[in-house]
């Protein structure tokens, strides 16, 4: 059985920089296959690092095709969407625009069809060379909330109560997410977690049983998975 590569740093920014550098190294060798971005608070310093590297490196992402991990549904406009977060905090800050972006349309009339279309677009582009992930306080990855099966595909999901509370979403909110099987199909997985609030989820992912109660635990035997953590997020594994 393989085990995850775990890198632990003193502070969140160092974890973000190292994860960002690992992402860039793969993105530059992806040969036109898509590389998956996540969003959320944890990704903010990672995106900032991409922008810093882009300011010093010509055409950093000029041949990179990015793809989207998950998206919220039921928003009145695209302003609060994850796609907008990526466009505003990353793409609009880059000197050279990326070669492409496989995005999820959170405003689509038929979200289930949109989920299937996204999955197909990734497949048609050659499959994911890499997927970057954060982790939820309940062990979710993307919007694969507890209960998500290992063979789950890109689909519409109900968000867990803790996800709704932590992000200030409306009760009953749904999302579209790549499934666990789509994430496992990526050649490489990079997961970033910072802060003591993530320590129990990282502990369950690495040392707990492999169970749908902690969807991240279903990823831990992937052939190339690396975790970039700060000391606080690693609090339950060392
Ligand atoms: C969110 C998103 C994920 C994100 C994770 C961690 O709910 N669905 O894509 O990676 O949870 O978010 P944060 O970094 O804000 O804690």
């Amino acid at each position: 059985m393989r085990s995850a590569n775990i890198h632990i740093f003193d502070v969140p920014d160092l974890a973000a920089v190292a994860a960002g550098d690992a992402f860039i190294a793969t993105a530059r060798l992806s040969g036109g296959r898509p590389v998956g971005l996540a969003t959320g608070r944890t990704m903010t310093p990672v995106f900032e690092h991409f922008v810093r590297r882009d300011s010093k490196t010509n055409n950093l992402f000029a041949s990179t095709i990015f793809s989207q991990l998950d998206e919220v549904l039921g928003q009145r406009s695209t302003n609060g969407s994850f796609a907008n977060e990526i466009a505003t905090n990353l793409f609009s800050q880059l000197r050279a625009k990326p070669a492409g972006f496989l995005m999820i349309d959170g405003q689509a009339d038929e979200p289930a069809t949109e989920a299937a279309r996204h999955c197909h677009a990734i497949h048609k582009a050659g499959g994911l060379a890499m997927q970057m992930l954060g982790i939820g306080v309940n062990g979710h990855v993307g919007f694969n909330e507890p209960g998500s099966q290992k063979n789950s595909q890109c689909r519409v999901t109900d968000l867990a109560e803790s996800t709704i509370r932590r992000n200030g979403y409306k009760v009953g909110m749904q999302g579209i997410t790549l499934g666990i099987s789509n994430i496992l199909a990526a050649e490489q997985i990079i997961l970033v977690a910072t802060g003591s609030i993530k320590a129990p989820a990282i502990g369950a992912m690495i040392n707990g049983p492999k169970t749908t109660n902690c969807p991240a635990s279903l990823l831990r035997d992937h052939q190339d998975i690396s975790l970039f953590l700060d000391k606080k997020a690693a609090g339950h594994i060392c």
Side-chain angles (χ1 to χ4, degrees):
M1 188 178 77
R2 299 189 59 87
S3 57
N5 302 303
I6 302 177
H7 310 276
I8 301 170
F9 299 85
D10 282 344
V11 292
D13 274 357
L14 290 179
V17 164
D21 284 339
F23 183 97
I24 289 168
T26 298
R28 302 198 90 188
L29 294 173
S30 60
R33 292 168 64 205
V35 288
L37 291 171
T39 48
R41 301 168 189 80
T42 315
M43 292 302 143
T44 302
V46 178
F47 286 7
E48 286 168 358
H49 181 60
F50 289 162
V51 173
R52 270 195 308 274
R53 283 278 308 266
D54 174 72
S55 72
K56 297 180 194 142
T57 319
N58 285 333
N59 298 321
L60 183 66
F61 292 125
S63 15
T64 303
I65 296 180
F66 289 101
S67 70
Q68 193 175 340
L69 170 66
D70 56 1
E71 184 56 278
V72 281
L73 292 172
Q75 304 273 71
R76 232 175 284 136
S77 78
T78 55
N79 289 351
S81 71
F82 292 172
N84 189 52
E85 185 177 326
I86 292 169
T88 307
N89 298 343
L90 181 59
F91 297 159
S92 71
Q93 315 282 325
L94 298 175
R95 291 183 305 157
K97 299 297 162 221
F101 180 41
L102 307 181
M103 74 165 256
I104 302 171
D105 181 3
Q107 304 283 316
D109 290 339
E110 291 182 28
T113 308
E114 174 61 7
R117 186 206 56 76
H118 185 55
C119 206
H120 182 64
I122 291 174
H123 186 68
K124 235 175 80 185
L128 290 168
M130 177 188 24
Q131 179 62 57
M132 172 98 97
L133 298 172
I135 187 169
V137 292
N138 61 357
H140 77 212
V141 281
F143 279 137
N144 291 284
E145 300 285 14
S148 297
Q149 302 293 320
K150 197 171 178 182
N151 63 0
S152 56
Q153 294 282 339
C154 191
R155 68 201 187 285
V156 175
T157 52
D158 295 331
L159 305 197
E161 231 181 273
S162 62
T163 306
I164 289 174
R165 222 179 309 119
R166 184 166 150 76
N167 293 300
Y169 295 146
K170 293 189 303 242
V171 175
M173 184 99 162
Q174 292 186 308
I176 290 178
T177 186
L178 288 190
I180 298 289
S181 75
N182 306 125
I183 296 171
L184 282 170
E187 204 170 312
Q188 187 185 353
I189 298 174
I190 292 177
L191 186 145
V192 192
T194 54
S196 48
I197 196 166
K198 299 292 173 70
I202 293 295
M205 175 186 181
I206 297 302
N207 294 331
K210 273 184 269 168
T211 162
T212 58
N213 293 335
C214 175
S217 70
L218 304 175
L219 304 179
R220 74 168 179 239
D221 297 334
H222 185 275
Q223 74 279 359
D224 188 356
I225 180 166
S226 299
L227 271 58
F228 292 82
L229 312 173
D230 72 344
K231 277 205 279 208
K232 289 184 175 166
H236 288 204
I237 57 169
C238 48

